Amino acid sequence: MATAEDWLAWEAIRHQVALAQYSNGVVYRIIKLLNTSDTRLLSELEMALQGAGSLERIERLESLLYAVRATNTAAFEQVGRELAQELQALVQYEAAYQAQVLTAASPVGTHIATVNVHQVYAAAYAQPFRITKDGAAPVAQLLNGVSEDRIKLIRQAISLGMVEGEPIAKMVQRIRGTRATNYADGLMDNTRRHVETLLRTSVNHMANVAQQSSLEANEDIMAGWEFTATLDGRTTLTCASLNGKRFPVGKGPIPPRHFNCRSYAKPVLKTYREMGIDLPEVVVKGGTRASKDGQVAADLTFSDWLRGQPQDVQKQILGATRAKLFRANQIDVDRFTNNKGVVLSLDQLRKKDSEIFKRAGL
Ligand SMILES: [Zn+2]
């Protein structure tokens, strides 16, 4: 048994972990797509270079790269379309999920308003991330930037190779990387890492916009939201310093604050008294106290939180073996706060979340 506030804190952290696992699936699917098209791109590059003499290559570099550029653009367009579909489904799910969370945490009979998913998605997709070095840009524009950067890298690598008089295979290898390192030493890996960052951050961005829209639609029962950083060895100073601060709904430093940001917003309900209800505070079934005194400390770390959870919750988040190691203090929590080994589809995320609502008696 827990108060609504405890339960909201507990549920927000649990859902955030599940969302990171969902991100792993998005990354997996989209990188796979990119890899398939990269195989084609590299063989096109190889063919273009082989078809030209060494002097001709230097003179005609731009036209030799024509097919490569077209394949690259098409690959990123496909990535953009797939991502848009993923994010649209995510926003739809998140909006429904947030309505369930508010229903679980508010007094019985409270009307919980839902949002127009298409409007929320369109606004979120067009909304700039406030996180780039050069300012802010929407996700499609950021993706475009990665695509253009990659063509520049390829052109530079080929120019350099030609100046050095390298064999074609060597030039292509610099771009592709070597099998021995699982292609981590190729220029293309650079792009893959940028795309991965962009995917993870856009999932976080979309989930946050969907959440804030749901909170705004239910402003009558909301006191605001609380910035919650995933406190571990990888937390940025910005996020650590914002941790625990409260802001009005729809305002303030809504996460993500930077690329790969794992911070999230915890909804804060008005008290019953503030809602004008003369009842003791709601108690949510199935919630777990987040700390010993029942209050969630502002500096509660993910590790602290996880340690206070029952074994089945630890197991759900970490998997059985890792949960055992964690309890035995044999692995560091940093190793799995963004656990890339666990992959959730949107359906699995939905199922995981619905178990929680069942536990809460909904
Ligand atoms: Zn952050």
Side-chain angles (χ1 to χ4, degrees):
M1 292 290 201
T3 66
E5 197 184 337
D6 289 340
W7 185 78
L8 280 172
W10 181 90
E11 177 52 21
I13 202 166
R14 190 204 61 79
H15 186 65
Q16 185 63 17
V17 172
L19 266 183
Q21 294 170 346
Y22 164 74
S23 290
N24 291 343
V26 174
V27 168
Y28 176 80
R29 285 189 293 280
I30 291 189
I31 295 293
K32 197 171 158 198
L33 198 79
L34 199 58
N35 285 345
T36 306
S37 114
D38 285 353
T39 305
R40 211 180 105 202
L41 186 146
L42 286 167
S43 68
E44 276 168 357
L45 178 65
E46 216 161 355
M47 266 174 3
L49 293 174
Q50 273 161 358
S54 49
L55 194 66
E56 198 192 0
R57 271 182 224 144
I58 297 176
E59 284 170 350
R60 292 184 47 231
L61 182 60
E62 288 309 308
S63 69
L64 285 179
L65 289 179
Y66 181 82
V68 171
R69 190 179 293 116
T71 302
N72 185 61
T73 305
F76 275 87
E77 278 169 3
Q78 199 189 355
V79 164
R81 279 195 301 273
E82 291 289 324
L83 179 61
Q85 265 177 24
E86 294 268 7
L87 295 178
Q88 196 156 12
L90 175 69
V91 166
Q92 186 162 19
Y93 173 65
E94 266 313 289
Y97 162 79
Q98 292 298 338
Q100 274 183 300
V101 167
L102 293 180
T103 306
S106 55
V108 175
T110 307
H111 171 72
I112 300 299
T114 52
V115 297
N116 180 323
V117 173
H118 297 289
Q119 268 174 20
V120 171
Y121 167 76
Y125 196 75
Q127 188 181 312
F129 287 23
R130 284 148 292 187
I131 49 181
T132 62
K133 277 201 304 285
D134 321 309
V139 59
Q141 200 178 317
L142 291 171
L143 207 52
N144 210 17
V146 179
S147 165
E148 279 166 23
D149 283 350
R150 183 155 86 158
I151 276 296
K152 270 184 225 151
L153 283 177
I154 292 174
R155 193 194 295 122
Q156 276 167 8
I158 299 297
S159 299
L160 182 73
M162 288 195 283
V163 170
E164 304 275 323
E166 281 175 355
I168 292 170
K170 174 94 185 173
M171 292 188 240
V172 174
Q173 191 188 71
R174 180 177 292 135
I175 296 165
R176 177 194 284 134
T178 56
R179 190 188 288 267
T181 66
N182 200 19
Y183 306 104
D185 55 345
L187 286 174
M188 276 179 159
D189 200 54
N190 208 311
T191 309
R192 274 193 291 269
R193 275 184 279 115
H194 281 164
V195 171
E196 176 174 345
T197 297
L198 206 50
L199 297 176
R200 289 187 191 284
T201 314
S202 58
V203 165
N204 195 348
H205 166 73
M206 286 288 167
N208 272 287
V209 174
Q211 181 191 40
Q212 289 291 333
S213 307
S214 296
L215 303 186
E216 276 179 296
N218 293 285
E219 216 160 3
D220 51 331
I221 59 164
M222 300 308 305
W225 65 277
E226 189 175 305
F227 191 99
T228 317
T230 303
L231 294 174
D232 59 27
R234 294 188 291 131
T235 313
T236 62
L237 273 178
T238 326
C239 286
S241 66
L242 284 167
N243 188 53
K245 297 212 164 87
R246 287 192 180 183
F247 303 92
V249 163
K251 301 203 169 66
I254 297 164
R257 302 310 300 161
H258 52 86
F259 280 127
N260 283 331
C261 185
R262 294 165 299 142
S263 295
Y264 58 93
K266 183 184 92 183
V268 184
L269 288 174
K270 285 179 180 169
T271 60
Y272 276 18
R273 193 187 299 247
E274 283 165 343
M275 289 183 208
I277 299 170
D278 188 20
L279 277 175
E281 287 299 314
V282 75
V283 168
V284 181
K285 277 194 290 176
T288 308
R289 284 185 171 207
S291 64
K292 287 189 197 80
D293 61 0
Q295 292 292 312
V296 181
D299 59 350
L300 183 81
T301 67
F302 178 74
S303 174
D304 294 339
W305 176 83
L306 197 59
R307 224 164 268 292
Q309 300 307 308
Q311 295 201 359
D312 66 316
V313 174
Q314 293 174 343
K315 200 170 129 191
Q316 192 198 25
I317 288 173
L318 302 176
T321 312
R322 273 181 287 226
K324 238 181 244 165
L325 291 171
F326 173 69
R327 281 194 294 274
N329 280 318
Q330 284 178 351
I331 46 173
D332 186 4
V333 75
D334 282 18
R335 288 214 5 228
F336 46 72
T337 42
N338 188 11
N339 181 5
K340 294 187 182 180
V342 182
V343 176
L344 285 187
S345 69
L346 198 56
D347 276 344
Q348 288 166 324
L349 176 66
R350 193 191 320 268
K351 213 171 141 236
K352 235 177 189 188
D353 287 345
S354 70
E355 282 162 19
I356 295 302
F357 293 119
K358 254 181 240 149
R359 247 166 91 164
L362 287 172

